[in-house]
Amino acid sequence: MNVVLIGFMASGKSSVGRRVARRLGYRFLDTDRFIESELGCTVAELFATKGEAYFRELEFRLARRLSALTNTVIATGGGMPAAPGNLAALKAAGIVVFLNAAVEEIVQRLERDTRRPKVQGGELKDKVLHLHAARLPLYAQADVIVDTAGKSVNRVAGDVIRLTAEALHARTASAPAGASPEAAAKPQTA
Ligand code: S3P
């Protein structure tokens, strides 16, 4: 079983993911860092030299390789669920958890960021609001939704572990004929 963290840039996927992995005794994989190590350059360099579409193609292919992993917590890039079919590929890889951070906190954390090409230049808050509104309906299709506002990394990690176990149970229980698909489709929330 894998735990797949999705959510906006700077929503805590990597720090929470590392903590969850440590507590469960799982491996940890960050899709951006994985792409960077395979390509030998940073995501920002990829955007600058090859363009965003090239990066999205790499992400698209990687999303389909993740189901080969086991006992891994996977932190995904914020745009990964946006491409058609990617969310289904992530669900095939494990329980998908949306870390729902408050927009104000995201903006604050991104203010000094120089690493993320999607939010460089221009009015940061406008960019975040626009992209966040467009992506929220996709993120909301996760198996589990954890609101992170005002919570410590440790508390969020605890919520992720508890709700992932419940979602896994619901997924397994809904497999036999006669089970309610509505119940299984409803995300667990904290
Ligand atoms: C992106 C998010 C980044 C990275 C790239 C694009 C996005 O990952 O994949 O800069 O489109 O939201 P993080 O969510 O880890 O910052």
Side-chain angles (χ1 to χ4, degrees), residues 9 13 32 43 47 55-56 59 77-79 116-118 135:
M9 288 170 264
K13 291 165 291 182
D32 286 336
V43 169
F47 267 66
F55 172 73
R56 297 301 176 197
E59 255 191 343
R116 293 173 170 96
K118 293 294 281 180
R135 288 181 177 170

Side-chain angles (χ1 to χ4, degrees), residues 35 51-65 80 83 86:
I35 288 172
E52 180 172 350
Y54 182 80
F55 172 73
R56 297 301 176 197
E57 179 60 31
L58 297 175
E59 255 191 343
F60 183 87
R61 284 192 224 152
L62 179 55
R64 281 145 191 81
R65 291 163 66 193
M80 191 181 263
N86 276 7

Side-chain angles (χ1 to χ4, degrees), residues 1 4 20 28 36 55 83-85 93 103 106 110-111 113-114 132 141 143 149 153 160 172 177 182 189:
M1 209 282 290
V4 183
V20 171
F28 174 73
E36 289 178 339
F55 172 73
V103 170
I106 290 171
L110 288 175
E111 247 149 25
D113 185 90
T114 53
H132 189 267
Q141 291 172 40
D143 301 305
V153 170
V160 169
T172 319
E182 290 78 20
T189 53

Side-chain angles (χ1 to χ4, degrees), residues 113 116-124 127:
D113 185 90
R116 293 173 170 96
K118 293 294 281 180
V119 290
Q120 301 309 310
E123 182 46 50
L124 175 66
K127 285 189 172 185

Side-chain angles (χ1 to χ4, degrees), residues 41-98:
C41 64
T42 66
V43 169
E45 283 163 0
L46 273 178
F47 267 66
T49 59
K50 308 257 192 183
E52 180 172 350
Y54 182 80
F55 172 73
R56 297 301 176 197
E57 179 60 31
L58 297 175
E59 255 191 343
F60 183 87
R61 284 192 224 152
L62 179 55
R64 281 145 191 81
R65 291 163 66 193
L66 297 175
S67 59
L69 299 172
T70 52
N71 294 355
T72 304
V73 178
I74 302 160
T76 60
M80 191 181 263
N86 276 7
L87 198 57
L90 297 180
K91 286 194 178 188
I95 300 293
V96 175
V97 181
F98 167 34

